[in-house]
Structure formats: structure tokens, C-alpha cells
Amino acid sequence: SEGCLGVVTSAVVRVRPLPEVVEYQSVVFPDWQTGAAWMREVARLPAAARPTSCRLMDSQQLALSRAIREGSGGHGPIKTALQALALRLKGVSMDTASAATLLFEGSRDEVAFQQKLLAQLVARAGGMWGGATSGEAGYALTFAIAYLRDFGLDYRILSESLETMAPWSSVAKVWPAVVAAVRAEHRALRLPGQPFMSCRMTQLYDEGAVLYMYLAVSTAGLATERCLEAFERLEHAARGAVLAAGGCLSHHHGIGKLRAPLLQESQSPELTAVLQGLKATVDPSNILAARNGAWSPAALAAPRTAAEEQEAPSSATSGGKLGH
């Protein structure tokens, strides 16, 4: 309920023994499509046969991970260049490659069994093992990205992540749709440079997969208020593309206030009314007044008509000024 219906006052914690074996590994694929198809096959395995974690990074994140590792002294530029040459000789270009990072945890027998099954899928997909060091470095990137976002602020670069869960029938459509929508909006806003966009597949389910997408743009030359307006429009365009391609509004980040206006496109008015009634019953005095999600005023606002959308100011009709 995102703080609108109650607060957690106690919790039960399940304690498990530490795993006997913890091993990292990585697999390199020639492109995102091949890697995504391989991830689909991993998702078809029984839950006990899958690794503890299995994530797919696109070429942008792969390059970023390698750059961070190189800058921290993990790999020198000569070794990195030799690795890229070795991959190119095998028909893989770092400009288009994707890589899966794997984490195995469990008993020695469990890990050996999982690795044997995955090795068969890797061979069938034409992937190449990338080693444990690359696998661990890929997970380290997850922690570094938040710091990179803060670092970018000093250079007037705004960045954020957005996530969705999409059914397997739609997974392949979501990311291309987001890229196209953001680039179009970026051009309409006449922002400097080009947007940086990257994607990784982070969680696998029987029904679908989670896509974690990153967006970064330069706002050089814009006033602070216009920077925020521009970035909000880019995010709105990205999330609208996610919904149109078959993804959901959020997997685990929640709805909050920023995504609330999009609830009307993903949630029926009847469900919103039911949730409003629940709120009125359990919290009639509105003590928990966070106003997130279905309880945000934006979620209850009447959607704009087509005529109102056309009348809304835009960068194309207002001399480059941002519309709302």
C-alpha cells in the first residue's frame, strides 16, 4: 500500500544455513536477442535447477562494467584489448555483445548439477563462458551505478532507473519500444547530445522476466526547473512505451506519485474505486496520508481528451519551451 493503509510493526525472519558453495560465472553472447532467448530457456528449468541469480546485461552495461573494472586496477587496457580481440575472433563484437552474470549457491552437488544443466543450454545457444571474475564484476556494477548517478549530477547529467515485469510474449518488444520513445521525446525536447540508455534482465519467472532499464541525459544549458520537466517527460515517455508494449507499470519500485498518472492506463476504474473504499474503511481520518499509488490525486484525475492533448504546449510549438 506504499504507506497508505498501514505500517509494519513486526516481522518474522527465516534463518537458513550459509551455503556450502558460492560461485560466480559469466556467459557472453553475440547480441541481446541471443542472450534473451537463452534466459528464456533458463526460466524453463525447474526452480531448483536454476542458479541463485541469473542476469543479462546489454552491450552498454557490459562496456560500463569493463570500464569500472579497468579503472579500479582489475584489468589493464592491454588485457581488455586482448580479450576483445579474442571474442572478435570468435565472431563476437563488444559493440553488440550481451553477457549473463551467474551466481550459484548451495551444496557442492546442487551447484554441480545446476552448472551441468546450464552448460548444455550455453552450448546450444552458442554462448561462451566468460569466467568467474567477469561474473562477480557484473554484480559489483549494481552497487556502483547509484554512485555514478550522483557523480553525474556534478556534470548536469540526470539519470534514473525504471523497471517492469513483462510476460515472455512481450519481453522482446519492451526495450526496443522504450528506446524509440525516449529518443523521439529527446529530439522533441531539443536536449543536447544523445540519451544514454541501457538494459538488463534481472529476474526470471515462469510467466515472464524483469527488465531493469537505465536512462541518462545531459541537461547542459537548461535552467533547473526545465531540467526536471524535461526528465519527467522522458520518464513518462519511457513508461508509456513499457505499457503499450505489454509490460507492467512497476515490478518492485512501486507506483508512488510519479507513476500515479499512468495508473489509468493499467488499472481499471473499478479497482481504483475498490482501493479508495478500502482506504476510507481502514483509515477514515487519513492519518497515513502519503498519497501514493491509487491514493494519489493524480490517479483519480480524469484523463485528458485527445483535444486537450493536442492543445498541450510542446517544444515543437512553443519555441523550444517545455510543455507540461
Side-chain angles (χ1 to χ4, degrees):
S1 70
E2 301 186 25
C4 295
L5 294 180
V7 294
V8 177
T9 59
S10 64
V12 176
V13 178
R14 177 178 294 175
V15 179
R16 296 181 180 273
L18 291 173
E20 179 184 2
V21 176
V22 177
E23 291 186 8
Y24 292 92
Q25 190 51 264
S26 60
V27 185
V28 180
F29 301 98
D31 51 46
W32 172 265
Q33 291 78 12
T34 304
W38 180 80
M39 293 283 281
R40 176 68 183 101
E41 294 305 312
V42 174
R44 285 193 169 101
L45 294 173
R50 303 174 196 167
T52 300
S53 177
C54 182
R55 298 179 176 180
L56 181 70
M57 299 190 298
D58 70 359
S59 59
Q60 296 277 35
Q61 283 197 36
L62 185 56
L64 188 58
S65 176
R66 290 164 65 90
I68 291 175
R69 187 173 57 185
E70 188 176 310
S72 64
H75 275 181
I78 295 178
K79 186 172 182 180
T80 299
L82 290 174
Q83 287 180 336
L85 177 60
L87 289 172
R88 186 171 290 277
L89 291 174
K90 295 181 180 180
V92 177
S93 169
M94 295 306 297
D95 294 334
T96 59
S98 65
T101 56
L102 309 172
L103 171 62
F104 298 93
E105 293 179 330
S107 68
R108 295 193 180 278
D109 289 340
E110 288 173 334
V111 170
F113 174 67
Q114 292 172 355
Q115 291 176 338
K116 182 179 179 180
L117 288 179
L118 257 67
Q120 297 173 4
L121 297 182
V122 170
R124 194 180 306 161
M128 292 172 287
W129 292 105
T133 302
S134 296
E136 190 169 4
Y139 285 98
L141 176 64
T142 302
F143 302 103
I145 281 180
Y147 296 98
L148 292 175
R149 177 189 61 190
D150 295 344
F151 176 77
L153 290 174
D154 293 336
Y155 296 89
R156 300 191 63 82
I157 296 174
L158 295 183
S159 56
E160 192 53 277
S161 62
L162 56 150
E163 34 62 77
T164 185
M165 192 274 191
W168 287 114
S169 59
S170 299
V171 164
K173 307 172 188 175
V174 172
W175 180 234
V178 170
V179 171
V182 170
R183 286 178 176 170
E185 189 68 15
H186 190 274
R187 287 193 298 269
L189 292 169
R190 301 176 186 174
L191 296 176
Q194 296 293 330
F196 173 87
M197 289 178 284
S198 181
C199 180
R200 73 171 183 255
M201 191 180 296
T202 59
Q203 285 137 290
L204 304 178
Y205 299 101
D206 294 337
E207 302 81 7
V210 175
L211 295 177
Y212 216 97
M213 298 162 280
Y214 295 92
L215 166 65
V217 295
S218 171
T219 59
L222 294 180
T224 300
E225 184 178 348
R226 290 191 63 201
C227 291
L228 297 176
E229 286 182 21
F231 200 78
E232 184 176 355
R233 280 181 54 170
L234 290 171
E235 282 193 289
H236 191 88
R239 292 191 172 105
V242 166
L243 293 176
C248 67
L249 191 52
S250 175
H251 172 253
H252 60 277
H253 283 186
I255 305 302
K257 299 173 180 63
L258 185 62
R259 301 185 185 190
L262 291 170
L263 269 177
Q264 296 175 3
E265 300 179 33
S266 61
Q267 181 171 287
S268 70
E270 291 78 11
L271 178 56
T272 299
V274 168
L275 294 174
Q276 287 290 321
L278 179 61
K279 170 72 170 177
T281 301
V282 302
D283 186 17
S285 300
N286 196 28
I287 295 173
L288 300 171
R291 302 200 305 173
N292 288 323
W295 300 279
S296 166
L300 302 175
R304 291 197 298 188
T305 65
E308 290 172 331
E309 289 288 349
Q310 292 178 355
E311 292 174 1
S314 68
S315 59
T317 59
S318 58
K321 293 183 179 180
L322 298 175
H324 296 274

